[in-house]
Amino acid sequence: MLTSICGINWGDEGKGRMVDLLSQDYDIVCRYQGGNNAGHTVINDKGRFILNLLPSGILRENVVNILGCGMVIDLKHLCGEIENLRKAGIKISPYNLKISDKAVITMPYNVLQDVMEEERLEKATGKPYGSTRRGIAPIYADKYMKKVFRMGELLNTKLMYGRVADIVEWKNLTVKAYGHDPVKPQDMIDYLEEYGGKLKDYVCDTGLYLNKANAEGKRIMFEAQLGALRDIDYGIVPYTSSSSTIAAYAPIGAGVPNLKLDKSIGIMKAYSSCVGAGPFTCEYFGDKAVTLREAGGEYGAATGRPRRVGPFDAVASRYGIMCQGADEIALTKLDVLDGYEEIEICTAYELDGKVIHDFPFTDVLDYCKPVFEKVKGWHCDISACRTAEDLPKEAYDYIKLLEKLCNCKIKYVSVGAEREAFITMY
Ligand code: GDP
Ligand code: MG
């Protein structure tokens, strides 16, 4: 049984929260793309956690967690994340955490490059990409240039350290062009030694492990980072991440390109949020934005940045559902709309005086205006609702309307950040 959990929108839909919940029925949770630019917040009986690299199944004792080959791994960050969880009483060992030998190592110079490029963009164009500045775009670029170190090399460091001088010389061609002091090869060796040494026991052929597990009938969940609109191919380029955030990539990025997904569960938010730059057609401004941001606590989990917010966007969500091939939806944060007497929904875009319903090419988005429609709100606290029957009629109707607008079944609705605060609709 292979299920993917992916984001329908711009990210921060509550994927971590849903993986924490739904992983009760799974043996393995595997991250398949991205790096420590993810911020997945999980609140359960063990506490409140923000996970960047570790899969959100790490909080369940019987779940094996995998960092797949499609990921980029900041060694120091991962060591810190493991340490923090251990302090909170979470057991982490090579039994419940496995890192793909093919996953790529994000180096300190990638982080430096990310910062320097965002600053250059800011000065040159006034429009930086809104990167989390954690080196993700530079390391994925290096991966495609084939100038990277991979986790499996930590098992034979002599060979690896022998490659450092050349790769650093190549990287310094770029670093110096930004006017920065060159990177010292020995510093990189020291870095790999210090943090790689702590992680090498977790490294293995996770593809082999997953194939065996699948053959034994184990249930495998793939956890995406970010959402469809941040995908490197299908998202709002260049305001995207640098990896493939879509469900179809999960088997490849996990290490099992031979296996097919049984189910894709799309995590969709009851309204919209977008961290960082880029076109965001349904965006609210002024007081409307402040009210919604505060109600939803919309500040980045990885960076603390205030997120841009807007009402539910049916145009973008339909596109996200298509990209993710979602079979069913988990609708999150419905309780955030509790305070509204009337709720707006962006049902279409207006472009050159015409109403459009299909999500257009990124450049065209700059010229699109949202078409808002209003529905009656429920205007009461729904956070204690646990069945569809508990919901006020207006909330039930809102869910059914989103189902109709998106042509996809909404199976789960979450009404709070805590593990138990959800409803199974059917
Ligand atoms: P992810 O990146 O998709 O995992 O999502 P984030 O963790 O970045 O952002 C989702 C935020 O909403 C987190 O702070 C969660 O604790 C919170 N959250 C998740 N589900 C709900 C919900 O149903 N209601 C409320 N009020 N908060 C939620
Ligand atoms: Mg997040």
Side-chain angles (χ1 to χ4, degrees), residues 72-234:
V72 293
I73 299 178
D74 181 313
L75 303 176
K76 185 175 175 185
H77 192 97
L78 182 55
C79 288
E81 217 175 308
I82 292 173
E83 210 44 51
N84 282 342
L85 285 191
R86 280 204 180 120
K87 273 189 212 145
I90 309 298
K91 290 197 194 92
I92 300 182
S93 76
Y95 291 105
N96 70 341
L97 178 64
K98 299 180 190 295
I99 308 174
S100 167
D101 50 2
K102 298 178 189 69
V104 164
I105 299 174
T106 308
M107 295 294 286
Y109 50 71
N110 295 126
V111 179
L112 172 67
Q113 247 186 303
D114 204 353
V115 173
M116 292 190 306
E117 175 55 15
E118 281 288 284
E119 282 169 3
R120 186 198 68 80
L121 269 176
E122 174 72 63
K123 273 196 210 124
T125 68
K127 283 174 99 180
Y129 289 171
S131 161
T132 50
R133 302 181 176 213
R134 294 189 169 181
I136 309 299
I139 184 57
Y140 273 110
D142 287 4
K143 170 172 166 169
Y144 284 92
M145 289 293 282
K146 297 164 291 183
K147 298 207 188 285
V148 287
F149 304 103
R150 301 201 291 171
M151 292 302 292
E153 293 182 72
L154 293 169
L155 305 176
N156 184 353
T157 47
K158 199 163 164 249
L159 274 177
M160 185 192 215
Y161 297 163
R163 300 200 305 116
V164 168
D166 179 59
I167 290 198
V168 168
E169 184 181 301
W170 170 76
K171 185 54 68 182
N172 276 335
L173 298 174
T174 307
V175 170
K176 284 194 278 193
Y178 277 97
H180 199 276
D181 291 342
V183 176
K184 295 193 188 83
Q186 189 56 47
D187 288 352
M188 295 304 104
I189 292 176
D190 293 347
Y191 177 84
L192 291 167
E193 182 78 18
E194 179 174 359
Y195 299 105
K198 291 186 189 161
L199 294 169
K200 67 177 184 344
D201 291 347
Y202 300 94
V203 177
C204 64
D205 183 343
T206 54
L208 195 63
Y209 178 85
L210 283 170
N211 261 307
K212 273 192 190 149
N214 181 60
E216 287 163 11
K218 297 260 162 64
R219 299 153 301 175
I220 304 168
M221 174 176 280
F222 300 114
E223 177 180 11
Q225 173 220 5
L226 293 163
L229 297 163
R230 301 293 188 190
D231 179 81
I232 184 70
D233 293 303
Y234 297 94

Side-chain angles (χ1 to χ4, degrees), residues 11-15 37-41 51 225-226 300-302 307:
D12 304 319
E13 297 93 346
K15 293 175 292 298
N37 50 336
H40 295 180
T41 315
L51 303 167
Q225 173 220 5
L226 293 163
R307 293 174 184 151

Side-chain angles (χ1 to χ4, degrees), residues 51-85:
L51 303 167
N52 302 132
L53 280 161
L54 292 169
S56 303
I58 198 74
L59 305 167
R60 289 191 183 271
E61 261 166 43
N62 300 325
V63 169
V64 172
N65 293 269
I66 293 185
L67 305 186
C69 60
M71 288 189 73
V72 293
I73 299 178
D74 181 313
L75 303 176
K76 185 175 175 185
H77 192 97
L78 182 55
C79 288
E81 217 175 308
I82 292 173
E83 210 44 51
N84 282 342
L85 285 191

